[in-house]
Amino acid sequence: MNAMKRRFAIAIFGAITIVAAACAVPPAAPPPAAEATRPADPVGKIEGQAEQVAAAAVMTAMPPKPGGSAARAIELAKKYAGVTLNVTWEAGLQSQDPLLFSAPEFERLTGVKINVIETPFTELFSKAVADHQAGGGAYDVLNFAPTWLADLADGGVLEPLDAYIEQHMDKNDLSDLHPTYAKYQQWKGKTYGLWDDGDVFVMYYRRDWFEDAKNKGDFKAKYNRELAPPKTWQEWDEVCSFFTERGKANNEYGCAIQRTAGNTYLWFYEQFRSNGGRFFDADMKAAINSDIGVKTLTDMVNANKHMPPGIEKWGFVEVLQAWMDGKLGMIITWPPIGRWSEGYGLESKQLEWVPKTNVAGKVGYAVSPGGHSELAVGFMLGVSSNSKNKEAAYAFIQWLTSPEVSGQRVKIPFALRDPYRMSHFNDPEYAKLWPNASEYLKVLQEGAATGLADLGIPGAREYEEALDRAITAAYAGTDPKAALDKAAEEWNAITERIGVESQKAAYADWQKRLGANAYP
Amino acid sequence: MTTSAVQSLSPTAARKRRQRKARAYAWRYALIAAALIFFSFPAFWIATIAFKSSSEYFRNPPVWIPANPNIVQNLDKVIRTGGLTAIGNSLIVTVSATAIALVVGTLAAYSLARFNTGGNNFAFWILSQRFLPPVSVVFPVFLLFRALRWVDTFHGLIVLYATFSLPFVVWMMRSYIREVPIEVEESAQVDGASRLRTIISITLPLASPGLIATGIFTFIFNWNEFLFALVLSRTNVITYPVKLTSYFGPESAFWGEAATVSLIATLPVVIATLLMQRYLATGLTLGAVK
Amino acid sequence: MTLQHRARNKRNGGKYALVAPATLMILCIALFPLLYAIVVSFQNIDARTPVGAFVGFKNYFDALRDARFWNALGNTALIVAVCVTAELVLGFILAQTLVSHLPGKRFITPLLILPVVIAPLIVGYTWRMLWDTQYGPINQVLGWITGRPVEIVWLANPVKVWPAIFITEVWQWTPFMFLVLLAGLAAINPEYREAAEIDGASSWQVLRFVTLPLVWPVMAVAILFRALDAFKVFDIVFALTNGGPGTMTETVSLYAYSVGFRNFRISYMAALTLILIAIVSVAITVLWRRMSANQERRA
């Protein structure tokens, strides 16, 4: 009996080992049939093209200007050849830039190795804080959203960069930053990060739908005005419902905005302030539940009716998919869509998940309705105060954000960084990428100039989360007023926990620093 | 009279019984078929997604069978995004933790089984660790690991997993060791073998089916663990469940990669289970049900 | 018995040495930090206050007044109540169906129990794809049945999100109930049932007065196991809804996680943690009584 049990046990172990070994091997080998039926763009060719595109972007601007920030950063980093820097980056597509371009290129130039740590967006903040609290040292370079700057700086997570900038940067590069983005880099008089991404919401619309004679006639008959890209939220709603009614049977919708939990508060931030809303009153009490707030949220909830079914769970990828398929009339989202819509760089392997575009040559751009686009999230680069190689870490971020290198990165198809320097907006090469690329650059620049900054005071992430929960609750049917009242209560609790007086000062500072980019 | 009645009735009765039996079988099979479809459909769906391209899984109406089934495209992306590395990390952590838990746990189980060390209360105390909500455990552990600088280290996660596997190992092995006749051990000890020697060369071989079952279950539980890993991983020790979360977010919905990682990570567990199924009830209830 | 053993095993001095490593590990990794958490729960440590001051029971009082915490407790209780009941009923029906002889049983049982061993996180993400409004097959199949397109937004509707969560949870854990009850039913001596049938009992009566009482000890343990585990639910909801829309499906585990590891309100999380442990301890004690009773019966 026992001998049998033992044999049974041995058999099990053997089987598992074999299976485990088998599992490790076969999926890697493609079934021949599948290989044979693949369309005529074998992987190797795509990869080759991607490399060509990347190489083209690299070649045009290399070598860096002697004495410029990039060249000086390379010289500085060479002292640290052999050192490895841990760099956080948003997981997934965002990370393709450092993984495929920036990190290997920097290592080739300086001998400093870059270890890219892919982290989901919200974890970029919590892991950085947790690491600092745990004694730190896991990260050298931190990638973060500008709204977290106050918390990260106050919490001692970030290293002040002024001394490094003074010593190593070409000061002209500071004035090359778009004036709006330049306002962000400091907190309480010290510089804690370098700006690295011009993330401004822009409205993308289907020119062909707007120019269609029948659409124009029908629209005019119904609304007694010309069919045109909307300038107000009221107009947006009308145009959206007009297109949806027209195309719903073909699965076509007038508009879509990602509504899934996580970032939906950004569209509220934008619309709320375009409507004249303020985040706090003079006593630092939350004012998001004001009449303007309730109206804004009510409008947002109502707008969902004209959007595709299930929009409440749509994220960036779902909106993108439908847009590229040609199923949507208008969207408001982040920049890379402008490039992708035209198919620019879509042949690169990293973008193979991006759907084939059916809208190339049919897309127009405009600042969001209400006249102000949200400067939504964006990215900054900073040096961890726990880094053992702060100078090398600084050299890396100076190199990345230098006009030459950032100028390449905003053009590399799979890098998701978008124009933020004057030299990017005025880049003749960018303007040639597709027929109306110069129009796109103009709208991005206008968006930056008139854009609204995310609320950037201590506790920003907590405020955002509370508001985001209220909004998704309202999408799900909670009364907007009740939802916002609850969020306002949570906001007040956060403010009280952090300290009403200090928050008042931080809020005043934020308004002063951002000026017209805080409130129009 | 009586006999003839029985004789004339019995063929009908037998047929009725047979019919009833057939109907009962039909009902049972119908029920089971429904259950099988329900319980296997998600697995089927995840497998098809792993073989689909993004334009196929974002299709309305959904596609059931991919036109050109091809897992290479998704596998390639999984490798490029560190999915296989994460599975490798999971393997290191899980195997090490399971090994430690088996050694330490079996020794304790032996003591409990043979000497009732510490009495029932001690056994209960060990058991109670199994039922604490992980979220209440992970927080104090995070504070401790922070002080020890064990956050995001292999040894940190291994020790943690091993410790929280102990209640299971101790309870399972306690009951398996109890089934080994004590007389066998005694004869060995009469021959002069030490306690440890007896355990290793006499008791364990006799309890080996139980040991293997316990080991495989411990492996499965640790393999599937998510919360501890989520809280305690940063850069070095990203296990596959933590990696999975990076495929989903407000900006990402990489179903293909997620499905492929899920498939690779689930296959070994499923096969182990099929082999271990007769121990499953015991394993899932810590021996409370045999 | 024990005395006899003691007499026979003269060298049992090693018994403490054998349990020492396990005890030490549990003490260091599980218990010591818990004591530390008690200390922290009386302070006010958060992301901006790394060194806390003593604040007494403030965190506990805050927790008791925290509407979001109560909401999360309510959601968790709902999940436990609905899912464990559904799993019990479905598991019992399946076990009854498969307990007696049936050709093919050997192949059916292992297929039915697979969900139990799949990582709950994977289960959550898988079902999230299944429930998708446009790209998931559930609405599609419902559309085939009703004959017109179905566009239910399962995961962002305050009512429909619940069946989505329940079914997902029930999918994963019904097999557990099935398996345990199958073992319990198989252990019942068929003579009891036959005797009742000969006495003319209907099949309902047999179930009610013979089968259920006999399987009850096993069933009770299974219920307690499931209830305790369902109370901890984190992975599945994390993957399906992450507590949304709003906080409508937030469970205690999700809430505690977000307080501690998203907002870094460390002392407050410690207080929540200890309240949770207190709640669970009561349930564990009940479970323990059950299990020891079972063991005595078997012995």
Side-chain angles (χ1 to χ4, degrees), chain A residues 293-343:
Chain A
V294 175
K295 178 190 160 18
T296 304
L297 186 52
T298 310
D299 288 350
M300 286 172 76
V301 173
N302 289 336
N304 288 359
K305 285 199 288 255
H306 310 306
M307 296 190 201
I311 190 75
E312 295 90 336
K313 291 301 278 183
W314 277 29
F316 179 78
V317 169
E318 286 88 349
V319 171
L320 173 71
Q321 180 79 33
W323 169 255
M324 299 289 266
D325 274 353
K327 303 288 187 198
L328 301 174
M330 306 181 287
I331 57 174
I332 294 175
T333 189
W334 283 281
I337 290 210
R339 288 186 269 158
W340 296 345
S341 301
E342 300 304 323

Side-chain angles (χ1 to χ4, degrees), chain B residues 28-29 60 64 111 195 224, chain C residues 11 15 97 103 117 134 140:
Chain B
R28 288 166 72 192
Y29 276 122
N60 181 18
W64 284 52
S111 184
R195 168 74 60 211
N224 290 348
Chain C
R11 283 179 294 163
K15 69 177 189 177
T97 314
V117 292
Q134 290 212 38
Q140 187 186 18

Side-chain angles (χ1 to χ4, degrees), chain A residues 40-107:
Chain A
D41 51 357
V43 176
K45 193 180 150 209
I46 295 174
E47 213 165 33
Q49 284 179 358
E51 272 158 20
Q52 278 169 23
V53 176
V58 175
M59 307 272 286
T60 48
M62 283 289 162
K65 190 173 73 191
S69 295
R72 287 167 69 180
I74 291 168
E75 284 315 305
L76 180 62
K78 275 182 181 165
K79 287 198 287 184
Y80 297 92
V83 160
T84 298
L85 297 177
N86 285 325
V87 179
T88 62
W89 216 282
E90 185 182 348
L93 202 61
Q94 286 278 2
S95 283
Q96 300 301 322
D97 162 6
L99 284 173
L100 296 166
F101 169 68
S102 312
E105 186 65 10
F106 193 66
E107 189 180 341

Side-chain angles (χ1 to χ4, degrees), chain C residues 168-182:
Chain C
T168 307
E169 174 81 11
V170 165
W171 180 84
Q172 175 149 44
W173 295 113
T174 295
F176 169 84
M177 284 288 189
F178 158 68
L179 196 67
V180 174
L181 293 176
L182 188 68

